[in-house]
Structure formats: C-alpha cells, structure tokens
Amino acid sequence: MTKRYSCKLAHINDTHSHFDPTPIHFNLLHQGKALTLHTHTGGYSRLGFQIEKARHQAIENQQNFLFLHGGDSFQGTLYFREFKGRANAHLLNLLQPDAMVLGNHEIDAGNGPVASFLDNINFPLLAGNMDLSQEAPNKQAKLKNHPNLLDFDPQTQTAKVLLKPFNDKTLAIVGITLDQMKDIARPDPDTHFIDAIETTQKTVNKLKQQGINHIIVLSHLGLNQDKLLAEKVPEISLIVGGHSHSLQGDFSQLGLPSLPYAETVNTVPILQAGKYAETLGIVDIDFNAKGQVTRLHGHNYFMLDKHFILESTEEIAEEDYPWAKNQLENHPNILWDAQQDTIQSAIETLYRPALIALEEQVINVIPRPFIHTRLPSKHLPHGSEISPWVSRSIYHETRILDERIDFALHNAGGVRQSLAKGRLTLAEVVGRLLPFDLPLVKYQIQGKYLYQAIESSINHATNNGVIGTGAGSFPYTYGLRYFYEGGRPLGQRITQLDLLMQDNVHSSNQEAIWKTIEYEEYYVGVSSEYTASGKEGYQALKQACWQSAIDELSLAEAFIQFMQKEQNMEQALPLQVHYQSHL
C-alpha cells in the first residue's frame, strides 16, 4: 500500500509589524451599481486564532503541522518604530512558527537588530545563503554560530537546514533569501549573500544523497524568482515564499487581482500570502515517498470584521447591505474576526499604549483615497497616486532650506501603503505610510547620470533585461518628468527627461512649464539616503559631484511638515511618470 505523507501548512509573509487589523476596501458591483466596502482584516490575534485552530485540526486528522513565515517581519508600523524588533520577537513567539526566513527588511539597519532578534526568538531564523565566514571575530553584534540561526555552511558550500520528522521520513526546510541583499538592504560589510539558486541546488543535491526527498524551500526571493528557482531546481517539493507581496487566490469578486494559489512550475507548487498580516494561507498537502506533491488543497484567507461600511457615487439602497454581507459570507476565502486572547492582551497592554498619543494627532484631511501601487498598471497608467505627493513634499520642504533644489527623486518601496479618505494622523504617516523615516540627501549631478539612474531603476523594478531587485525600485519624482519606452534598446529607453521650471501646481490658470534635461548640464536633486547611495538600480546617483546630508529634515518629517500646511490634495499634480512596458 502506498504510504501517505500528509501535512497541514499555515503560512504568512511580509507582515511588517502589522499587529493590529489593517484597513482594507473591496470593490463590488450590485445591479450595475459600483460599491466600495470598507472593513479591516488580519492582525496577529486573528492570525493566532486561525493558526491554533489549524494546528488542532491537523492533530485530529493525524497530520503533520507546519507554520512558516516568509520573511520581512520588521519595519512597517509604529510598533516597529517604537519597539524595534522586541515586539516582533515576542508576538511571533506567541504565534509559534516552526521557522522564518530572513527578509531584507530584517537587515535594513545592519546586523545588530538581527542579533537582538535572534536572542529573543524561540524558533529558528533561516538564511541558508548568508555567508558569515568572514565575520569579524570581536564584533559586538555577532551572528556566526548563533543557535537560532541556520546560515551558509562554507565547508560544504550548502545551506544549514531545519530537519523535522515526517512519518517514517525526514522533512527538510531550507531557508533562502535575496542574494542582492547589499543592493537593497544594509548588511554589515563582513556579511555576504551567496547565489540563491546555486546554494539551493547544492543543498538539495546533498539532501537527496542523504535520502531526504521531502524538501520545502522557505524563500524570500519574490514570486518571479521563486518561479525561476522551481524551473532550475525541480527536485524541490514545495516553495513557501515572500518579498513580492503576492496575494494568491481568486478574489475577483471583491475587485482584487487574481493570481493562482499554489502556482506550479516543474511540479513545484509555490505559495505566498500577500502582505501586512492581512491574509493567512492554510493548505492541506499530500506528498508521495519521493517528495513530490500529489495533492494540494488550500487558500489564502482574509480575516474580516463582521461589520463594514459601504460607499458609492450613487445612493446606497437598503438592500445593498444584506447583499454585500451575503457576498462576504459566501466567499470561500473569507474568515472572520475571532482572536487569540493571549496575543490580543499582549498587544493592548504592552505595546499599544505607546501609540495612542500619535494616533490622536491629526495633520490633514484626505479628500479621497490615494492608491499606492509600485508599478504603473492598466488602471493606474502613471503609477502610484501618493508617491508623487511624497516626492513633492521632499522637494518643497527641502527647497525652503536650499533654493538650488531642482527635483526630488524617490523609490516606490519607500512608500508603504495607500492613503484612505479622511483624517491623516501622525501615526498613519510615521507608522504606516513612511515608516522607515529615512535621512534626506541633496546632491549635484550631471544630466546624463539622471537618464541612467531613471532607466536603470525602472529596469530593475520590471526585470526589463536584468535580474531585478523588486518593484520597490520604481522611480517617482517631483520636478522631473520622464518618458520610458521599455521596448527600446538598453540605454535608449528614456526618450524624454524634463525639468519643471516653476512649481505652479496650485495655480489653475497656469500650465506646467518643462525644459529638457541636458546631458552635460548640472542639476541639484534630493533623495533619501537609501536611494542616493545607489541602491536598487540607482548606481548612477553615486556619480554626483557632491552629496550633502540634510540634517534638519528626514523623509517622514518633510511629508508631515508639508501636509500640515493645509495642502489641497484635490488639485492634480503635473504628470511626471510616462511609462510604456517592455511586455
């Protein structure tokens, strides 16, 4: 008789310190009327309840149970700003993951926060392609040989792996993270990241030689790189991923994009569960003795409030509410707001009080929702609606300090979410919209390097002819208008680059005036320290004649000061992103 190897798996990724439920809206269509449904989803106490329930179901069904985190627990909200990684470690311990993979945002501030995190967690952190063999022996924040870290083994040139009993077999969990970490994060100089695919292949080969066939890769590479990994290393049983914030599953009835859940490449299913603890993946998986997945049944689930608000440009009818409620109740991928009391109590007593004062400081009122998307799309051909306002705030507030400023340039990943209609609080800005609070840098640079920086950062964001670092590198500007044609040869994709000659956005009687950026002319720009340092395709900015830190202002502070001046956000900004895909 063929032996059944069964596992119930729960998975999350890119939770970014979203311990509380996150606001979300769905777009519904009822009898020709467009409805927007506003509610909240997820958060750690709701995750805790559903994970605990799934764990008990696995025991009842005599299944193995796994709970895995696909990386990027750090950053994202006021909780991280106030408590750094301490709250993350404590609340993750209460969720009891079997393992988490190192994400790029765990190492934004160097190895120190990772070392502290490792000291406080009760589960292993996997980073199988992080090479610590050159780590300075006397440094304070040592990671090498930490008992909670499974990193790269320089002796075998493979990843250290987590082994778990799996009926009469052994299950291996291999943690692989981005090998471009130095481009998008700030690991210490003595910390290196080895090629992700090569490390995985060597590790899988070693496991197979040991007779271990059931191999899960816990990845923080992003969905596109996970597909490439499955294509190159088909001996993997399953990939549980993160980094690209990909929400898999059919949510088209709710007005959300649809990606196939457990998309399969080379018989290797790939799982990812969105972002911000908004959703939880729960899946039942059967393997054969060779480690191949033979059956997979599961979904990503929202965990919603039982109450919601409906909005429409037309009059809301009495029957719209029960219809909308019925749509939610009958959707196969929706759970409700039951919570785990221990986790909820910890959040409310230990962490939330420090945030309440910031939640009460209103800095502006937003007249309509401003959607943040990293890349332009069919529905938003000029990309993010809020990022240009962030860039304008940097431009405006920095120009008060230095009138030489010609433009602002910022990457999409530095803005973390959309803005909802209504009150904009200090907490919303520093905790959710711009949680990284990056220093600002001004610099003088020749026009030819601006052409290079804009094209290169877009190429990295879209994988247009390069192995990219993720959509977060996509450039948003103020005072700098660009036209990008992705089908043109490398080096010729910026067909036009213009400088705004007068910031007259709020003068309804004047058109924006633009002047072509000349290759040999010099211009003064402002960017975050992260972007100005040449990360994620912005290497050309390192060719600046000079760079100077702006000590008086950070990214978040510039936006807060700007928004406190009663900005009229109903007025459209001059369009500065003109993008044509290579696809």
Side-chain angles (χ1 to χ4, degrees), residues 498-559:
D498 303 321
L499 190 71
L500 182 66
M501 300 308 297
Q502 184 180 354
D503 183 15
N504 54 18
V505 65
H506 291 314
S507 178
S508 58
N509 297 322
Q510 297 184 36
E511 296 275 332
I513 301 170
W514 300 94
K515 181 181 178 182
T516 300
I517 293 284
E518 302 292 342
Y519 271 56
E520 302 304 322
E521 289 293 320
Y522 290 86
Y523 305 90
V524 179
V526 59
S527 298
S528 72
E529 179 186 64
Y530 181 84
T531 302
S533 67
K535 303 283 189 182
E536 298 196 66
Y538 290 92
Q539 296 92 333
L541 295 187
K542 296 173 72 175
Q543 300 298 321
C545 304
W546 53 261
Q547 290 194 357
S548 177
I550 301 172
D551 296 329
E552 304 95 324
L553 210 56
S554 69
L555 174 63
E557 287 167 347
F559 187 75

XYZ file of all heavy atoms in Angstrom, residues 498-559:
495
model
N 12.598 65.855 -18.539
C 12.367 67.293 -18.447
C 12.394 67.767 -17.001
O 12.039 67.021 -16.080
C 11.006 67.662 -19.047
C 10.859 67.222 -20.489
O 11.847 67.326 -21.232
O 9.762 66.766 -20.864
N 12.758 69.036 -16.849
C 12.790 69.691 -15.546
C 11.629 70.673 -15.449
O 11.385 71.454 -16.371
C 14.113 70.435 -15.367
C 14.402 70.984 -13.968
C 14.711 69.846 -13.015
C 15.575 71.969 -14.017
N 10.903 70.618 -14.334
C 9.820 71.565 -14.084
C 10.416 72.922 -13.742
O 11.201 73.049 -12.796
C 8.942 71.055 -12.936
C 7.733 71.907 -12.561
C 6.718 71.935 -13.699
C 7.071 71.346 -11.298
N 10.033 73.944 -14.503
C 10.646 75.251 -14.340
C 9.978 76.099 -13.273
O 10.554 77.066 -12.784
C 10.635 76.003 -15.681
C 11.403 75.280 -16.762
S 13.089 74.841 -16.240
C 13.783 76.463 -15.975
N 8.745 75.753 -12.912
C 8.056 76.536 -11.886
C 7.068 75.647 -11.168
O 6.278 74.953 -11.798
C 7.333 77.729 -12.515
C 6.677 78.650 -11.485
C 5.980 79.829 -12.146
O 6.069 80.020 -13.344
N 5.279 80.615 -11.355
N 7.111 75.632 -9.850
C 6.184 74.815 -9.059
C 4.863 75.568 -8.929
O 4.602 76.254 -7.952
C 6.785 74.534 -7.677
C 5.882 73.632 -6.846
O 4.975 73.018 -7.433
O 6.082 73.556 -5.627
N 4.028 75.436 -9.971
C 2.772 76.190 -10.000
C 1.561 75.267 -9.969
O 0.537 75.545 -10.556
C 2.712 77.071 -11.246
C 2.950 76.266 -12.531
O 2.835 75.044 -12.527
N 3.301 76.958 -13.601
N 1.694 74.146 -9.262
C 0.652 73.121 -9.298
C -0.694 73.633 -8.811
O -1.732 73.183 -9.259
C 1.087 71.890 -8.475
C 1.223 72.233 -7.004
C 0.101 70.746 -8.643
N -0.713 74.566 -7.893
C -1.984 75.022 -7.344
C -2.518 76.266 -8.046
O -3.466 76.870 -7.595
C -1.835 75.299 -5.845
C -1.622 74.038 -5.063
N -2.379 72.921 -5.257
C -0.712 73.722 -4.102
C -1.969 71.962 -4.441
N -0.957 72.423 -3.744
N -1.867 76.647 -9.137
C -2.368 77.784 -9.910
C -3.139 77.255 -11.096
O -2.566 76.787 -12.073
C -1.193 78.654 -10.381
O -1.678 79.716 -11.155
N -4.458 77.297 -11.022
C -5.294 76.665 -12.035
C -5.194 77.366 -13.380
O -5.590 76.819 -14.406
C -6.755 76.648 -11.566
O -7.197 77.976 -11.305
N -4.651 78.588 -13.419
C -4.588 79.344 -14.659
C -3.282 79.129 -15.412
O -3.065 79.703 -16.464
C -4.757 80.846 -14.374
C -6.120 81.156 -13.780
O -7.118 80.556 -14.163
N -6.155 82.092 -12.842
N -2.366 78.327 -14.852
C -1.062 78.161 -15.470
C -0.799 76.702 -15.798
O -1.137 75.814 -15.041
C 0.047 78.674 -14.541
C -0.052 80.167 -14.241
C 1.115 80.635 -13.408
O 2.237 80.174 -13.573
N 0.853 81.563 -12.500
N -0.188 76.492 -16.947
C 0.270 75.165 -17.336
C 1.664 74.934 -16.755
O 2.444 75.877 -16.585
C 0.318 75.067 -18.864
C -1.024 75.196 -19.550
C -1.765 73.879 -19.625
O -1.093 72.834 -19.645
O -3.000 73.900 -19.652
N 1.982 73.673 -16.474
C 3.334 73.350 -16.041
C 4.308 73.616 -17.193
O 4.017 73.314 -18.352
C 3.418 71.902 -15.612
N 5.436 74.227 -16.888
C 6.442 74.564 -17.897
C 7.640 73.641 -17.705
O 8.201 73.541 -16.608
C 6.879 76.036 -17.765
C 5.664 76.963 -17.940
C 7.958 76.374 -18.789
C 5.949 78.406 -17.604
N 8.053 72.960 -18.773
C 9.119 71.975 -18.692
C 10.269 72.351 -19.622
O 10.059 72.922 -20.692
C 8.597 70.579 -19.079
C 7.488 70.074 -18.206
C 6.143 70.193 -18.426
C 7.631 69.375 -16.976
N 5.436 69.610 -17.413
C 6.325 69.094 -16.491
C 8.727 68.957 -16.219
C 6.093 68.425 -15.308
C 8.498 68.280 -15.036
C 7.200 68.015 -14.592
N 11.468 71.982 -19.222
C 12.662 72.208 -20.028
C 13.482 70.922 -20.060
O 13.672 70.267 -19.032
C 13.493 73.348 -19.436
C 14.750 73.671 -20.234
C 15.544 74.803 -19.582
C 16.823 75.093 -20.362
N 17.622 76.168 -19.705
N 13.980 70.558 -21.221
C 14.714 69.305 -21.392
C 15.977 69.280 -20.514
O 16.720 70.266 -20.441
C 15.130 69.121 -22.860
O 13.950 69.095 -23.662
C 15.912 67.821 -23.055
N 16.198 68.157 -19.860
C 17.436 67.924 -19.113
C 18.562 67.699 -20.111
O 18.489 66.802 -20.960
C 17.301 66.696 -18.177
C 16.297 66.962 -17.060
C 18.659 66.287 -17.613
C 16.798 67.845 -15.951
N 19.596 68.522 -20.025
C 20.744 68.408 -20.935
C 21.800 67.486 -20.325
O 22.062 67.532 -19.122
C 21.356 69.787 -21.180
C 20.381 70.800 -21.765
C 19.953 70.467 -23.186
O 20.657 69.659 -23.845
O 18.924 71.002 -23.651
N 22.411 66.673 -21.170
C 23.362 65.671 -20.702
C 24.508 66.286 -19.897
O 24.924 65.728 -18.866
C 23.945 64.899 -21.895
C 23.149 63.678 -22.283
C 21.793 63.783 -22.600
C 23.744 62.423 -22.326
C 21.055 62.673 -22.962
C 23.017 61.300 -22.689
C 21.670 61.434 -23.006
O 20.942 60.334 -23.343
N 25.047 67.409 -20.364
C 26.257 67.951 -19.749
C 25.979 69.026 -18.705
O 26.905 69.503 -18.045
C 27.186 68.512 -20.834
C 27.609 67.493 -21.887
C 28.282 66.256 -21.290
O 29.041 66.409 -20.315
O 28.031 65.133 -21.796
N 24.704 69.407 -18.540
C 24.362 70.408 -17.536
C 24.331 69.774 -16.143
O 24.194 68.549 -15.998
C 22.999 71.034 -17.845
C 23.005 71.947 -19.057
C 23.826 73.201 -18.825
O 23.756 73.773 -17.714
O 24.571 73.589 -19.759
N 24.393 70.616 -15.115
C 24.376 70.141 -13.732
C 23.074 70.546 -13.057
O 22.570 71.659 -13.260
C 25.572 70.720 -12.957
C 26.888 70.144 -13.403
C 27.573 70.699 -14.479
C 27.441 69.037 -12.769
C 28.788 70.175 -14.909
C 28.644 68.504 -13.181
C 29.313 69.070 -14.254
O 30.503 68.531 -14.675
N 22.544 69.639 -12.229
C 21.275 69.854 -11.553
C 21.426 69.425 -10.092
O 22.263 68.577 -9.767
C 20.162 69.057 -12.231
C 20.040 69.366 -13.714
C 20.763 68.634 -14.656
C 19.235 70.410 -14.158
C 20.678 68.920 -16.009
C 19.131 70.707 -15.522
C 19.858 69.956 -16.439
O 19.783 70.253 -17.774
N 20.575 69.994 -9.242
C 20.619 69.664 -7.817
C 19.340 68.931 -7.447
O 18.226 69.435 -7.684
C 20.787 70.926 -6.948
C 20.800 70.546 -5.458
C 22.078 71.650 -7.312
N 19.490 67.748 -6.908
C 18.342 66.926 -6.542
C 18.336 66.573 -5.071
O 19.319 66.816 -4.350
N 17.235 65.994 -4.644
C 17.130 65.492 -3.277
C 16.488 64.111 -3.322
O 15.534 63.878 -4.072
C 16.324 66.461 -2.371
C 14.906 66.682 -2.897
C 16.276 65.941 -0.940
N 17.039 63.201 -2.554
C 16.529 61.828 -2.454
C 16.759 61.343 -1.032
O 17.455 61.992 -0.244
C 17.264 60.890 -3.427
O 17.062 61.272 -4.771
N 16.181 60.197 -0.725
C 16.514 59.581 0.550
C 17.959 59.112 0.515
O 18.542 58.882 -0.549
C 15.594 58.393 0.828
O 15.922 57.302 -0.016
N 18.546 58.971 1.682
C 19.915 58.463 1.780
C 20.024 57.095 1.117
O 21.031 56.774 0.481
C 20.312 58.375 3.250
C 21.711 57.847 3.498
C 21.994 57.644 4.970
O 21.312 56.786 5.595
O 22.859 58.350 5.503
N 18.976 56.293 1.248
C 18.954 54.939 0.670
C 19.102 55.008 -0.850
O 19.936 54.321 -1.450
C 17.648 54.260 1.062
C 17.481 52.848 0.566
C 18.026 51.776 1.267
C 16.763 52.575 -0.595
C 17.865 50.474 0.824
C 16.602 51.277 -1.054
C 17.154 50.233 -0.337
O 17.005 48.945 -0.790
N 18.287 55.854 -1.494
C 18.332 55.972 -2.946
C 19.620 56.639 -3.405
O 20.261 56.187 -4.363
C 17.108 56.772 -3.440
O 15.912 56.105 -3.016
C 17.097 56.881 -4.953
N 20.029 57.698 -2.713
C 21.233 58.433 -3.110
C 22.496 57.590 -2.996
O 23.495 57.864 -3.661
C 21.363 59.695 -2.260
N 22.444 56.536 -2.179
C 23.620 55.672 -2.016
C 23.765 54.670 -3.154
O 24.690 53.865 -3.160
C 23.539 54.926 -0.678
O 22.471 53.999 -0.682
N 22.813 54.693 -4.122
C 22.952 53.855 -5.302
C 22.297 52.497 -5.204
O 22.548 51.613 -6.034
N 21.423 52.298 -4.225
C 20.747 51.014 -4.079
C 19.733 50.797 -5.217
O 19.232 51.735 -5.825
C 19.998 50.955 -2.747
C 20.853 51.189 -1.510
C 21.666 49.985 -1.134
C 22.337 50.171 0.223
N 23.166 49.025 0.588
N 19.430 49.517 -5.497
C 18.318 49.099 -6.352
C 18.286 49.770 -7.726
O 17.255 50.252 -8.180
C 16.982 49.355 -5.646
C 16.819 48.565 -4.367
C 15.384 48.522 -3.897
O 14.552 47.925 -4.594
O 15.094 49.086 -2.837
N 19.413 49.818 -8.400
C 19.432 50.364 -9.752
C 19.754 51.838 -9.838
O 19.822 52.391 -10.938
N 19.959 52.501 -8.703
C 20.259 53.930 -8.702
C 21.766 54.206 -8.632
O 22.193 55.254 -8.163
C 19.563 54.607 -7.510
C 18.058 54.679 -7.640
C 17.246 53.680 -7.118
C 17.451 55.741 -8.299
C 15.857 53.741 -7.242
C 16.072 55.818 -8.430
C 15.285 54.812 -7.899
O 13.913 54.876 -8.019
N 22.582 53.269 -9.149
C 24.028 53.409 -9.030
C 24.545 54.710 -9.637
O 25.539 55.274 -9.162
C 24.733 52.224 -9.717
C 24.456 50.879 -9.082
C 23.265 50.173 -9.726
O 22.375 50.820 -10.264
N 23.278 48.855 -9.688
N 23.880 55.200 -10.671
C 24.361 56.408 -11.353
C 24.350 57.628 -10.439
O 25.108 58.580 -10.666
C 23.518 56.676 -12.599
N 23.514 57.614 -9.395
C 23.492 58.752 -8.473
C 24.803 58.876 -7.699
O 25.113 59.949 -7.166
C 22.323 58.630 -7.497
C 20.905 58.693 -8.102
C 19.863 58.739 -6.993
C 20.747 59.887 -9.029
N 25.568 57.800 -7.656
C 26.865 57.860 -6.977
C 27.890 58.653 -7.793
O 28.984 58.939 -7.311
C 27.375 56.444 -6.707
C 26.486 55.667 -5.744
C 26.886 54.214 -5.614
C 28.165 54.052 -4.832
N 28.491 52.623 -4.598
N 27.518 59.026 -9.027
C 28.389 59.847 -9.865
C 28.184 61.337 -9.585
O 28.735 62.185 -10.304
C 28.111 59.572 -11.348
C 28.339 58.133 -11.767
C 29.774 57.704 -11.587
O 30.701 58.480 -11.839
N 29.985 56.467 -11.160
N 27.406 61.662 -8.560
C 27.171 63.061 -8.215
C 28.484 63.789 -7.926
O 29.427 63.196 -7.379
C 26.246 63.152 -7.004
N 28.536 65.079 -8.283
C 29.730 65.885 -7.983
C 29.925 65.985 -6.480
O 31.057 65.968 -5.991
C 29.563 67.296 -8.554
S 29.229 67.339 -10.305
N 28.822 66.119 -5.773
C 28.859 66.142 -4.312
C 27.528 65.667 -3.760
O 26.508 65.721 -4.444
C 29.196 67.540 -3.762
C 28.328 68.674 -4.275
C 28.638 69.548 -5.268
C 27.024 69.048 -3.803
N 27.608 70.448 -5.457
C 26.611 70.165 -4.568
C 26.156 68.554 -2.824
C 25.377 70.797 -4.386
C 24.925 69.170 -2.642
C 24.544 70.283 -3.407
N 27.554 65.175 -2.563
C 26.347 64.813 -1.814
C 26.466 65.421 -0.421
O 27.556 65.461 0.153
C 26.178 63.302 -1.701
C 25.817 62.611 -3.001
C 25.339 61.178 -2.794
O 25.314 60.669 -1.684
N 24.951 60.540 -3.881
N 25.336 65.872 0.107
C 25.351 66.506 1.426
C 24.100 66.091 2.198
O 22.978 66.224 1.691
C 25.391 68.034 1.269
O 25.328 68.670 2.531
N 24.300 65.570 3.399
C 23.165 65.176 4.240
C 22.376 66.413 4.670
O 22.943 67.481 4.923
C 23.661 64.424 5.468
N 21.054 66.258 4.740
C 20.181 67.332 5.215
C 19.817 67.011 6.658
O 18.906 66.219 6.936
C 18.920 67.439 4.336
C 19.324 67.715 2.880
C 17.992 68.544 4.844
C 18.186 67.657 1.889
N 20.534 67.589 7.580
C 20.378 67.235 8.997
C 19.052 67.725 9.569
O 18.550 67.157 10.539
C 21.531 67.823 9.814
C 22.878 67.238 9.409
O 22.897 66.062 8.989
O 23.881 67.962 9.490
N 18.473 68.769 8.973
C 17.271 69.378 9.550
C 15.991 68.605 9.238
O 14.936 68.906 9.796
C 17.097 70.814 9.008
C 18.282 71.730 9.243
C 19.228 71.764 8.052
O 19.407 70.703 7.404
O 19.781 72.836 7.790
N 16.057 67.622 8.345
C 14.830 67.053 7.787
C 15.033 65.584 7.435
O 16.067 65.211 6.893
C 14.475 67.832 6.514
C 13.030 67.984 6.083
C 12.177 68.616 7.178
C 12.963 68.824 4.815
N 14.046 64.760 7.749
C 14.018 63.378 7.266
C 12.858 63.243 6.275
O 12.065 64.173 6.102
C 13.822 62.401 8.423
O 12.509 62.524 8.958
N 12.767 62.098 5.647
C 11.696 61.847 4.681
C 10.321 62.042 5.312
O 9.477 62.783 4.795
C 11.836 60.427 4.124
C 10.721 59.931 3.206
C 10.638 60.770 1.952
C 10.943 58.466 2.848
N 10.081 61.381 6.435
C 8.771 61.485 7.085
C 8.514 62.904 7.584
O 7.396 63.418 7.472
C 8.678 60.483 8.235
N 9.539 63.553 8.124
C 9.366 64.917 8.634
C 8.998 65.888 7.517
O 8.177 66.794 7.709
C 10.650 65.380 9.330
C 10.883 64.716 10.675
C 12.282 64.938 11.205
O 13.164 65.403 10.443
O 12.511 64.643 12.393
N 9.599 65.703 6.338
C 9.266 66.566 5.204
C 7.798 66.420 4.824
O 7.099 67.415 4.588
C 10.164 66.222 4.012
N 7.319 65.192 4.773
C 5.918 64.963 4.405
C 4.977 65.527 5.467
O 3.960 66.147 5.143
C 5.678 63.465 4.211
C 4.304 63.145 3.673
C 3.997 63.370 2.345
C 3.322 62.633 4.507
C 2.727 63.084 1.852
C 2.057 62.344 4.026
C 1.760 62.570 2.685
